[in-house]
Amino acid sequence: NGGTFAIDEEVVNLTAVAETNGERYFSLKTAMDAAQDGGKVTLVSDCTVDSAITIDKNLTLDLNGYVVSNLVESDRPFQVTAAVEFTVDGTVDGSGMEIPDGNTESFGFIKITAPATVTLSGGTYVGVTNKGAFNKPFSNEDQNIDASGCTISLYDVTAQTNMWFLSTD
């Protein structure tokens, strides 16, 4: 589950935050990178994300009653960059994603730059964005990205924000 390690006379407590393929990981990004195409990553504790995670394979993120705190500034933590299926399962009570008050530059949660299928099933999504949408498909010829034709499905989702839950280009 976790452990205590001495590093340069500092003590660091490490707690696993996610598991996939029968292995536990100390960061959500590492777990999602390690997941197989078509696999599932399951949270085993609350966690924070402070840099973008690329989603370029079919993947399910099972929040499992825990919360992902978004510390990514001027972007979204989950970047769907290929024509894949990305599912967030928030059906267990307590599941969700949040933008903490200290992150005043966040744009939301999921950025889609390809004709992907994104499904949010359950969960609570809260926070203030910097003029962003929690979930946004993008198309921009100059950047060679095109999410035209993507599918976004929302089931029993609760959201509270100052801007939009979903917006498109």
Side-chain angles (χ1 to χ4, degrees):
N1 276 337
T4 302
F5 301 90
I7 300 174
D8 292 333
E9 298 186 21
E10 283 187 44
V11 175
V12 178
N13 289 311
L14 298 176
T15 302
V17 299
E19 66 183 17
T20 188
N21 305 325
E23 298 288 327
R24 288 196 167 197
Y25 296 87
F26 299 111
S27 83
L28 182 55
K29 179 181 180 358
T30 305
M32 293 181 84
D33 288 347
Q36 297 174 351
D37 184 35
K40 177 164 69 169
V41 173
T42 303
L43 291 185
V44 295
S45 69
D46 292 335
C47 68
T48 59
V49 175
D50 58 10
S51 63
I53 298 170
T54 300
I55 310 295
D56 57 2
K57 57 191 163 193
N58 299 305
L59 197 59
T60 296
L61 173 59
D62 182 353
L63 299 177
N64 194 32
Y66 296 102
V67 174
V68 174
S69 292
N70 173 8
L71 300 182
V72 178
E73 294 186 354
S74 301
D75 213 337
R76 292 166 182 84
F78 301 102
Q79 312 265 323
V80 183
T81 61
V84 297
E85 293 183 19
F86 177 51
T87 300
V88 178
D89 180 349
T91 56
V92 175
D93 286 346
S95 295
M97 295 185 192
E98 68 174 5
I99 302 169
D101 291 340
N103 186 358
T104 59
E105 297 297 320
S106 176
F107 292 160
F109 298 112
I110 302 172
K111 179 178 184 177
I112 306 163
T113 60
T117 298
V118 175
T119 302
L120 298 178
S121 182
T124 300
Y125 302 82
V126 298
V128 173
T129 70
N130 183 11
K131 298 182 183 177
F134 279 178
N135 308 284
K136 185 165 183 167
F138 283 84
S139 291
N140 185 319
E141 268 185 40
D142 296 338
Q143 296 178 0
N144 199 30
I145 59 174
D146 187 2
S148 297
C150 74
T151 300
I152 300 173
S153 299
L154 309 171
Y155 302 99
D156 197 25
V157 171
T158 301
Q160 183 179 359
T161 183
N162 62 316
M163 296 302 283
W164 307 283
F165 184 73
L166 176 65
S167 175
T168 64
D169 278 351

